[in-house]
Amino acid sequence: MIGTDRQAFSQAATDRAELIEQLLAIGTALSSASDLEEILSLILTKSREITCSDAGSVYLIDPRLERPSLLFKVAQNFSKPTVSFQELAMPVTEKSLAGYVAMTGKTLNLPDAYSLPENAPYQLDRSFDQRIAYRTCSILVLPMQNQKGETIGVLQLINRKLAPDLVITVENASAITQPFSDWEERVVRSLASQAAISIERNHLQESIEHLFEGFVRASVQIIETRDPCTSGHSERVAELTVRLAQEVNSVATGALASIHFGDRQIQEIRYAALLHDFGKVGVPEAILAKAKKLYPLQLEVIKGRFALAQRTLEMDCVQAKYQHLLAHSNVLASAADHSEAPCTHCQAIAQLDTRLSAAIAQLNHYWSILLAANEPRIFAEEPLLHLKELTHYQYRDVDGQYRPLLTPEEVEQLMVHRGNLTELERQSIQSHVTHTYEFLKRIPWTQELQNVPMIAYGHHEKLDGSGYPRGLKETDIPIQSQIMAIADIYDALTAGDRPYKSGLPVARVLKILQQEAAHNKLNPELVELFEQRQVFAILERPLKN
């Protein structure tokens, strides 16, 4: 008898040790799980294993609606493995078992769900059993409560079996099931508390991600408000960058085969791409929206000078005529008696008109040269020579002072050979990369997103060190930045929304990317992958020569 008691005691101790090991393993698994569906499935599976339950389900309370609802999230049934369960929402009321537990925070441990106390406010919905030919007997329904004691979900276990491998039918359900013990109730309640903490942690993680997503979207909107000419550029670059990164994951040979980006890294790349131009908020808006070499207000001021110069020429001509007539009034009166003789004074007046016409024609020619020079394109030498002539032209101002028709600053802007920006303006534009980095590094990114600032910082660097702002070479440029550089250049060249240029055909841009790769500016393997996998096709721009 003593030996039997010792064996029973030893077996009980072993069972409890195994249970402790199970609970520790469950706690470890819950702490490492990050996906909500994974957490809920794990909670239900382990609860069923510990209690030898045939079936079970998990409900979560959705507080976002006007009236809180229970979301039927996960269901498992050993005896009915082929039955599919769909997520649905049900109102939180005391009429259902799960609703009663959610509202009161009390546990229900029912030996037979078909035989409830007469005064019970809740009922079992037998229609589900009837639909799948099942019989619910013993049932344990527990609240999942957070550290504040708030119920965030409900764990429901059905049919505690005599042995794990038994299959329940309508006929044998009563014979092979038993009520849940108080001890099992205590164990599962502890497990439900662990589950609630894991669920709350998951909700907190989702909230942080939604917060970051909202912040990123708001930041992109700010960028586009500052620079409406490039509206949509950040989203397009993000699409291209993410797609190219995903294509890198599928490469099995070559230099890219060893590179793989996880889901979190892809999200990190996406955020960096969306925010890569945020530093433009620190660049003067006039420079961002500059369409030609001169600003619109500058051109209006210069136009006013040309008009004043022409009016001065006309007034000088009129004044010269008047002075001539005044000086030769006697001679003209005498000449009137001999009208048949050639009028030398009339010829002098005509010469003044001719010189005025020539001067105005020259002024109009200079204006045409200026308008041509104002366009953002590479100039031939001849127009530039005419522009240099214009720099020497002076006109008389309203105060009688002679002033140049163009200021040195305006001449510098018009003499730009490529594009529409002066060196100082170009430096201001390029400073947006540093502004972006300085802004992004101040954000307390999560560990999974900590590289966002550095990825965005390198998107204008070139493999040969000719990029900006730091002049990094290939080994120092993050591969994510190299991917983004291709996406950024492609969209900038194909986009038709820039005020200073029209979009280039896709085929032409692909050739430019190939040339950049050949000159060790861009990563050749990434450029080849970009073209071969037609990553650019996600923007739906026609492939034309």
Side-chain angles (χ1 to χ4, degrees):
M1 185 70 179
I2 296 175
T4 304
D5 290 342
R6 286 178 178 175
Q7 286 180 350
F9 178 80
S10 176
Q11 183 61 44
T14 301
D15 290 343
R16 289 182 180 277
E18 289 179 356
L19 176 60
I20 292 172
E21 290 293 333
Q22 278 185 294
L23 291 175
L24 290 173
I26 292 170
T28 302
L30 285 173
S31 64
S32 61
S34 58
D35 180 71
L36 181 60
E37 297 297 326
E38 180 186 355
I39 291 173
L40 298 180
S41 295
L42 179 63
I43 293 166
L44 186 54
T45 299
K46 295 303 181 183
S47 298
R48 287 178 50 237
E49 287 178 1
I50 290 174
T51 58
C52 199
S53 298
D54 186 62
S57 53
V58 177
Y59 301 84
L60 292 182
I61 293 178
D62 187 353
R64 294 172 298 179
L65 304 176
E66 291 184 11
R67 298 183 62 184
S69 297
L70 275 175
L71 296 179
F72 184 59
K73 297 292 292 185
V74 179
Q76 298 172 359
N77 192 313
F78 177 82
S79 298
K80 298 288 182 180
T82 59
V83 175
S84 61
F85 301 91
Q86 291 184 339
E87 182 176 318
L88 56 87
M90 53 186 285
V92 179
T93 69
E94 290 189 350
K95 293 182 179 180
S96 67
L97 301 182
Y100 176 84
V101 170
M103 288 187 70
T104 64
K106 297 178 180 179
T107 297
L108 290 179
N109 190 342
L110 307 173
D112 188 351
Y114 280 26
S115 180
L116 301 176
E118 291 184 2
N119 60 345
Y122 45 80
Q123 301 178 15
L124 176 72
D125 183 1
R126 301 188 186 186
S127 64
F128 187 74
D129 278 2
Q130 294 167 359
R131 207 160 51 242
I132 65 172
Y134 193 70
R135 169 67 162 92
T136 299
C137 294
S138 58
I139 189 166
L140 179 62
V141 192
L142 306 100
M144 293 191 294
Q145 296 177 325
N146 60 20
Q147 292 174 319
K148 298 178 182 178
E150 300 167 337
T151 300
I152 64 170
V154 174
L155 174 61
Q156 182 171 272
L157 299 176
I158 300 171
N159 285 339
R160 180 193 174 208
K161 297 186 291 187
L162 299 176
D165 57 348
L166 294 176
V167 175
I168 292 178
T169 65
V170 174
E171 293 75 21
N172 68 5
S174 299
I176 65 173
T177 61
Q178 56 186 330
F180 290 90
S181 67
D182 293 340
W183 176 79
E184 286 171 321
E185 182 180 324
R186 291 197 303 272
V187 171
V188 177
R189 187 183 297 122
S190 173
L191 184 57
S193 297
Q194 286 188 15
I197 294 172
S198 296
I199 292 169
E200 283 246 302
R201 190 193 70 240
N202 180 269
H203 287 334
L204 178 60
Q205 179 67 30
E206 287 185 349
S207 296
I208 292 172
E209 290 178 359
H210 287 316
L211 177 64
F212 273 126
E213 186 71 25
F215 162 76
V216 169
R217 288 292 176 189
S219 299
V220 170
Q221 188 174 359
I222 291 173
I223 299 168
E224 294 186 348
T225 301
R226 286 276 296 159
D227 188 11
C229 299
T230 58
S231 177
H233 171 69
S234 296
E235 285 88 349
R236 294 192 298 268
V237 170
E239 284 186 62
L240 292 167
T241 303
V242 167
R243 178 60 65 86
L244 185 52
Q246 291 170 338
E247 293 295 343
V248 169
N249 284 348
S250 65
V251 175
T253 59
L256 301 177
S258 61
I259 301 172
H260 181 83
F261 301 110
D263 291 341
R264 292 292 180 182
Q265 289 174 304
I266 292 292
Q267 182 72 307
E268 184 179 59
I269 291 170
R270 176 174 168 269
Y271 282 163
L274 283 170
L275 295 170
H276 76 282
D277 274 346
F278 187 81
K280 286 184 176 179
V281 298
V283 178
E285 191 171 345
I287 296 179
L288 290 175
K290 191 179 184 186
K292 300 182 185 296
K293 295 180 181 179
L294 295 171
Y295 297 102
L297 183 59
Q298 283 181 301
L299 191 61
E300 284 300 311
V301 170
I302 295 171
K303 186 177 181 180
R305 290 192 209 129
F306 270 77
L308 180 58
Q310 180 172 332
R311 182 61 58 87
T312 302
L313 289 173
E314 291 169 346
M315 289 181 62
D316 287 346
C317 181
V318 171
Q319 186 69 23
K321 290 179 181 179
Y322 175 74
Q323 292 296 335
H324 182 85
L325 294 174
L326 192 63
H328 300 86
S329 57
N330 294 331
V331 177
L332 289 171
S334 174
D337 298 332
H338 305 83
S339 56
E340 294 181 0
C343 180
T344 57
H345 300 291
C346 293
Q347 293 174 355
I349 296 297
Q351 287 176 357
L352 290 174
D353 285 334
T354 301
R355 283 198 294 270
L356 174 62
S357 297
I360 292 175
Q362 184 186 40
L363 205 57
N364 290 336
H365 175 65
Y366 283 151
W367 178 250
S368 299
I369 291 292
L370 185 144
L371 291 179
N374 194 34
E375 295 297 322
R377 63 190 182 199
I378 300 173
F379 258 98
E381 286 300 321
E382 185 176 352
L384 291 178
L385 290 175
H386 287 298
L387 187 60
K388 289 177 181 178
E389 291 178 19
L390 178 55
T391 62
H392 300 297
Y393 190 100
Q394 291 189 326
Y395 72 101
R396 193 171 71 254
D397 206 344
V398 290
D399 57 3
Q401 299 294 319
Y402 280 91
R403 304 182 186 281
L405 204 53
L406 295 177
T407 66
E409 294 78 11
E410 293 161 351
V411 172
E412 180 187 2
Q413 289 173 246
L414 291 168
M415 292 294 287
V416 170
H417 280 248
R418 179 188 284 273
N420 65 329
L421 301 177
T422 65
E423 186 57 32
L424 286 177
E425 291 169 338
R426 191 174 303 282
Q427 289 174 8
S428 181
I429 286 285
Q430 292 180 351
S431 71
H432 83 273
V433 182
T434 301
H435 292 323
T436 296
Y437 174 71
E438 293 296 333
F439 166 74
L440 294 180
K441 77 175 185 179
R442 294 177 180 273
I443 298 172
W445 299 99
T446 61
Q447 186 175 1
E448 293 86 357
L449 302 173
Q450 62 183 345
N451 293 319
V452 167
M454 291 304 297
I455 295 172
Y457 201 14
H459 77 277
H460 276 299
E461 302 289 351
K462 304 294 184 185
L463 303 190
D464 62 355
S466 63
Y468 64 88
R470 292 174 292 164
L472 300 181
K473 292 198 173 182
E474 179 176 3
T475 54
D476 297 318
I477 305 173
I479 188 66
Q480 300 96 320
S481 302
Q482 296 180 35
I483 292 172
M484 195 195 306
I486 295 171
D488 189 41
I489 293 172
Y490 175 85
D491 186 69
L493 293 178
T494 55
D497 53 8
R498 305 299 169 97
Y500 47 84
K501 71 170 189 66
S502 56
L504 297 177
V506 172
R508 173 66 182 135
V509 174
L510 292 177
K511 289 180 181 178
I512 292 174
L513 292 176
Q514 292 169 359
Q515 292 168 359
E516 290 289 283
H519 290 93
N520 198 32
K521 306 288 185 183
L522 299 176
N523 187 307
E525 288 82 10
L526 290 174
V527 170
E528 183 179 1
L529 187 67
F530 184 84
E531 182 174 2
Q532 284 184 349
R533 302 289 177 86
Q534 295 196 351
V535 173
F536 53 86
I538 63 173
L539 299 187
E540 298 181 351
R541 288 174 181 159
L543 183 64
K544 296 179 181 179
N545 292 319

